[in-house]
Each structure stands twice: as structure tokens, then as C-alpha cells.
């Protein structure tokens, strides 16, 4: 029988757990054409939530465009991905695909091929035009199509904080223009880097200042997650054992699903905390080589700082006793943590630091 737990791909449909309130709130905002800033820690299910929202929005009322910005390094990358996602969102058949694409998007050309599954594969080719022309063309084409077919357009820009890395164009300033002038477009800006998103949406000098209503994604409710898990497990798991698993994973959705995947594979009929530990150690063993590569690429001071965050659970790092115990100066520790944050290995919330990958944090504690 196929393992019922999904952790390597987005969890939607029967694999999606909880988040009913969040889906309902986002559906209402889409209906009202209200923009949303969706943020939260990595591996908490932001992308799955967006995909589940899109699945629940009726096709007869919405045009849904999902853009993953994780790999962009330039404004041209942004425009190309927006064109690709926009063209793929239009409900067209292969026979009239090219004619409709050229009708709604006039500033670029498209190469169309057919995949082995028979689905069209669309590749936009951008000519030498200004970035703002491309955005006007892409968003304008979506808006025209939506008006003709009496639809709302929802555009989800996932990993949106990546635009802060783009220096050749002010993507946020260009987007603001169309956010203010379009009455049938709404945006979902999603990301995990709190400090970068804060600068984009909460700084008064930013073009996107207060242009989206916030929604912080917290851990999935433990009781709801427990009900989801026991329905899928072919074994008995007491609430106390799941509570232990939930605490070990720190509520991280992906890690919980991954641990349950291994618990299912282990085949025990009455699961215990020892079974949870065994599943976790199997995961950490599988990722041992990756974690060694990550830590091996750091300086000695960065490795010490990373170890400190793991062992101290991100708290009281700059207390005199902590600094003395580990033989590190306040300035050296601060410098190392700053560089770890830039490389996205460590993040900070309020006064506490945390390691973005919960698995890496648990591996570091195991290896100390």
C-alpha cells in the first residue's frame, strides 16, 4: 500500500491538513480583491496553503496565477516567470493556444511544445524591452481576459522576498502602479524572511507600504494534526506520543509528515516515543551528509554560533555566562549570527534566534 504521508511535494486535497480558517479568510480576501502578505517560518505549509486555496476557488469565478520566485536574480527573471505562469493559467486548448496568447500578451513571443503527458509546455521569450512594459503587458493581458470572462484574478507571488535581491529594477514600485489601478486583480505575497518582508511592506519609504493585509501562518493546531495523522496511520498512537512528536518537530508541518512517513514504514502497531525517536534518527541519518556539507562550509566562529543557537534553543546567547562558557566574545558572536542570517541558515524572531531547518537543529544537538 502507498505511504499516505506526503513531505517531498506540496500537500493539497486529501494530503492537506487543517488551515480551514486561513482558507476561508483568504477566499474572502480574494472575493473582495484585497491583497495579502502571507508570512511564516519555512516548512510551515505556506505554498501548500496557496495551492489548496487555488483548488477551492471555483474556475468559473477566478483566474489563478501561481509564481514561484525562489530562483530569480533579475527583473527579467521575474517578468519571464510571470508571463509563463499567466499563460499557463489561461484555460485554453492546444489548437487555439498560440492565437489567444498573442491576443492577450503582445510584448513577448512564446515557444510551445508538448510534454510526454500531452500537456502544452509554454516558454516565453523576452525581447529587448523595458521591464515595466513587460509587467504592463502581462498584468494587462490577465486583466483584459478576466474582464471579458467576468473573472477575478488572484496572483500568488511565492518567496516574494527574493525581489529584494534584484538591484537592476524596482519591482515593488512597478507592481504598486498596477495594484492601485486594477479593480479585478489581487495579490498574495508569500515568504518566510520576516525582516525582508517587513522592509518591503512596513517601511514608510517602501512603494508597497501598507499595500497588503498581513496573515502570519502559525503551527497547525496540534489536536487537528493528531486527528489527521491517526486517520492515516495503520497503527495506534496515543495523544501523549503525538504530543512528543509535535514538540520534537516544533510544529513544523513538513517534518511532522516526514516522521509519520517513517513511522508508517516501521510497521509498529502501537507507537511509542521510542518509535518516534527511531523515525527521527532515520531522517537525521539520511540527511547527515547534507548537514555536514552545510556546517563544513562555515567558518569556525560561524560553526560555534550555529551550535550555540541549537544548544541554547536560541535564547540567552549574549549573556555573560553563555559567552564565558563557550569562549566567545559578544562582537564575534553577533558578527557570525549576522552572516548566518544572510545565508538563511539562521533567523530571528523578537529576541530569539532559531535555525531555519528544524532537522539541522536536531542534528546539531545530536552531534554535540
Amino acid at each position: 500500500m502507498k505511504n499516505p504521508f506526503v513531505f517531498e511535494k506540496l500537500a493539497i486535497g486529501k494530503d492537506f491538513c487543517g488551515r480551514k480558517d486561513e482558507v476561508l479568510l483568504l477566499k474572502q480576501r480574494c472575493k473582495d480583491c484585497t491583497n495579502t502578505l502571507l508570512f511564516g517560518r519555512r516548512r510551515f505549509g505556506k505554498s501548500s496553503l496557496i495551492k489548496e486555496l487555488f483548488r477551492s476557488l471555483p474556475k468559473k469565478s477566478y483566474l489563478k496565477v501561481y509564481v514561484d520566485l525562489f530562483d530569480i536574480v533579475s527583473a527579467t527573471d521575474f517578468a519571464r516567470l510571470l508571463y509563463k505562469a499567466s499563460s499557463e493559467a489561461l484555460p485554453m486548448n492546444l489548437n487555439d493556444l498560440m492565437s489567444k496568447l498573442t491576443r492577450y500578451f503582445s510584448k513577448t513571443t512564446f515557444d510551445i511544445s508538448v510534454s510526454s503527458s500531452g500537456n502544452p509546455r509554454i516558454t516565453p521569450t523576452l525581447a529587448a524591452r523595458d521591464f515595466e512594459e513587460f509587467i504592463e503587458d502581462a498584468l494587462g493581458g490577465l486583466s483584459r481576459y478576466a474582464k471579458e470572462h467576468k473573472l477575478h484574478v488572484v496572483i500568488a507571488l511565492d518567496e516574494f522576498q527574493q525581489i529584494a535581491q534584484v538591484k537592476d529594477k524596482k519591482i515593488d514600485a512597478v507592481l504598486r502602479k498596477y495594484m492601485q489601478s486594477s479593480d479585478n486583480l489581487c495579490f498574495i505575497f508569500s515568504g518566510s524572511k520576516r525582516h525582508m518582508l517587513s522592509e518591503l511592506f512596513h517601511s514608510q519609504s517602501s512603494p508597497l507600504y501598507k499595500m497588503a493585509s498581513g496573515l502570519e501562518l502559525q503551527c497547525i493546531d496540534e489536536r487537528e494534526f493528531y486527528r489527521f495523522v491517526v486517520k492515516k496511520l495503520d497503527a495506534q498512537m496515543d495523544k501523549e506520543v503525538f504530543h512528543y512528536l509535535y514538540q520534537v518537530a516544533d510544529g513544523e508541518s513538513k517534518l511532522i509528515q516526514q516522521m509519520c512517513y517513517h513511522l508508517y514504514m516501521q510497521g509498529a502497531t502501537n507507537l511509542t516515543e521510542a518509535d518516534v525517536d527511531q523515525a527521527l534518527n532515520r531522517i537525521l541519518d539520511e540527511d547527515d551528509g547534507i548537514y555536514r556539507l552545510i556546517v563544513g562550509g562555515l567558518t569556525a566562529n560561524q560553526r560555534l554560533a550555529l551550535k550555540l543557537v541549537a544548544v541554547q534553543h536560541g535564547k540567552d546567547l549574549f549573556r555573560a555566562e553563555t559567552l564565558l562558557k563557550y569562549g566567545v566574545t559578544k562582537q564575534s558572536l553577533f558578527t557570525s549570527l549576522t552572516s548566518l542570517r544572510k545565508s538563511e541558515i539562521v533567523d530571528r524572531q523578537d529576541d530569539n534566534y532559531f535555525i531555519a531547518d528544524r532537522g539541522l537543529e536536531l542534528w546539531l544537538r545530536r552531534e554535540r
Side-chain angles (χ1 to χ4, degrees):
M1 183 180 294
K2 183 180 178 182
N3 196 306
F5 293 99
V6 172
F7 65 92
E8 289 185 339
K9 61 181 181 179
L10 297 182
I12 57 175
K14 63 181 176 58
D15 299 317
F16 185 78
C17 175
R19 307 290 191 202
K20 292 180 181 178
D21 291 342
E22 290 90 340
V23 171
L24 287 174
L25 174 60
L26 287 171
K27 287 178 75 171
Q28 185 62 48
R29 289 185 180 178
C30 292
K31 183 178 180 181
D32 298 336
C33 278
T34 300
N35 303 312
T36 295
L37 171 59
L38 176 65
F39 63 99
R41 289 175 59 175
R42 292 173 61 191
R43 301 178 180 87
F44 268 34
K46 294 182 295 298
S47 299
S48 289
L49 174 59
I50 293 171
K51 289 291 188 177
E52 182 65 14
L53 167 70
F54 278 16
R55 194 180 74 89
S56 69
L57 292 173
K59 292 182 179 180
K60 63 180 182 180
S61 301
Y62 292 93
L63 191 65
K64 297 159 280 189
V65 181
Y66 176 84
V67 190
D68 185 351
L69 301 174
F70 182 76
D71 289 329
I72 68 166
V73 294
S74 68
T76 302
D77 290 337
F78 181 96
R80 184 180 295 109
L81 287 173
L82 179 59
Y83 267 124
K84 181 173 175 59
S86 299
S87 59
E88 291 174 345
L90 298 183
M92 305 175 187
N93 60 57
L94 192 57
N95 293 329
D96 64 3
L97 183 55
M98 182 58 78
S99 63
K100 285 192 175 181
L101 287 177
T102 54
R103 176 184 173 190
Y104 292 105
F105 308 116
S106 61
K107 301 292 177 65
T108 188
T109 57
F110 296 90
D111 292 324
I112 300 176
S113 59
V114 180
S115 68
S116 57
S117 61
N119 295 318
R121 183 183 291 115
I122 304 170
T123 304
T125 302
L126 275 59
R129 294 181 182 271
D130 183 73
F131 171 72
E132 188 164 349
E133 286 186 83
F134 289 132
I135 301 304
E136 179 181 8
D137 186 47
L139 296 183
L142 286 172
S143 183
R144 287 193 301 277
Y145 182 93
K147 286 179 179 178
E148 289 176 12
H149 295 82
K150 298 181 180 179
L151 301 171
H152 287 297
V153 182
V154 184
I155 302 174
L157 300 176
D158 208 354
E159 300 293 348
F160 184 69
Q161 70 275 341
Q162 294 301 111
I163 73 158
Q165 311 289 345
V166 176
K167 305 302 181 185
D168 56 337
K169 294 289 181 181
K170 289 289 290 180
I171 295 176
D172 50 352
V174 175
L175 285 176
R176 177 186 173 89
K177 174 180 176 181
Y178 298 99
M179 291 168 66
Q180 289 181 315
S181 60
S182 299
D183 58 3
N184 63 346
L185 296 181
C186 75
F187 291 82
I188 300 172
F189 304 96
S190 174
S192 56
K193 300 177 190 174
R194 180 187 297 264
H195 62 290
M196 296 175 71
L197 291 170
S198 180
E199 290 176 5
L200 286 167
F201 288 91
H202 297 148
S203 172
Q204 293 188 27
S205 61
S206 171
L208 295 178
Y209 177 62
K210 293 197 173 181
M211 291 293 291
S213 300
L215 174 56
E216 182 174 9
L217 210 59
Q218 305 287 354
C219 304
I220 295 174
D221 180 77
E222 183 178 339
R223 292 168 297 181
E224 197 163 14
F225 222 143
Y226 173 69
R227 291 192 293 268
F228 173 83
V229 165
V230 295
K231 277 185 179 180
K232 290 176 173 286
L233 273 174
D234 188 22
Q236 174 68 33
M237 174 186 272
D238 293 337
K239 289 182 180 179
E240 293 75 13
V241 175
F242 182 78
H243 176 71
Y244 175 72
L245 184 154
Y246 189 88
Q247 294 296 115
V248 168
D250 196 26
E252 185 182 288
S253 304
K254 181 179 179 180
L255 184 55
I256 292 172
Q257 293 260 27
Q258 189 174 6
M259 291 171 73
C260 289
Y261 176 93
H262 284 283
L263 287 172
Y264 185 88
M265 294 294 291
Q266 286 167 204
T269 56
N270 192 5
L271 296 169
T272 65
E273 291 183 8
D275 294 313
V276 173
D277 290 338
Q278 183 181 343
L280 175 63
N281 281 317
R282 188 183 297 272
I283 293 168
L284 298 184
D285 288 342
E286 289 175 351
D287 292 337
D288 181 79
I290 296 172
Y291 292 147
R292 290 187 184 279
L293 281 174
I294 293 172
V295 175
L298 304 176
T299 67
N301 284 340
Q302 289 170 344
R303 288 197 295 272
L304 177 58
L306 190 61
K307 198 83 166 183
L308 261 174
V309 174
V311 172
Q312 294 287 131
H313 300 269
K315 300 177 181 178
D316 302 324
L317 300 182
F318 295 100
R319 288 182 62 179
E321 306 93 287
T322 304
L323 298 173
L324 181 62
K325 178 180 178 181
Y326 292 94
V328 62
T329 66
K330 185 175 182 179
Q331 182 58 47
S332 173
L333 179 58
F334 179 79
T335 300
S336 295
L337 289 172
T338 300
S339 63
L340 289 171
R341 287 186 72 191
K342 287 182 179 178
S343 60
E344 302 177 33
I345 297 174
V346 166
D347 206 343
R348 180 180 178 182
Q349 185 170 355
D350 300 325
D351 292 328
N352 292 338
Y353 289 86
F354 62 91
I355 297 172
D357 184 339
R358 177 66 171 176
L360 174 58
E361 183 175 359
L362 295 169
W363 179 84
L364 286 164
R365 290 180 191 167
R366 189 181 76 167
E367 296 298 308
R368 67 174 179 171

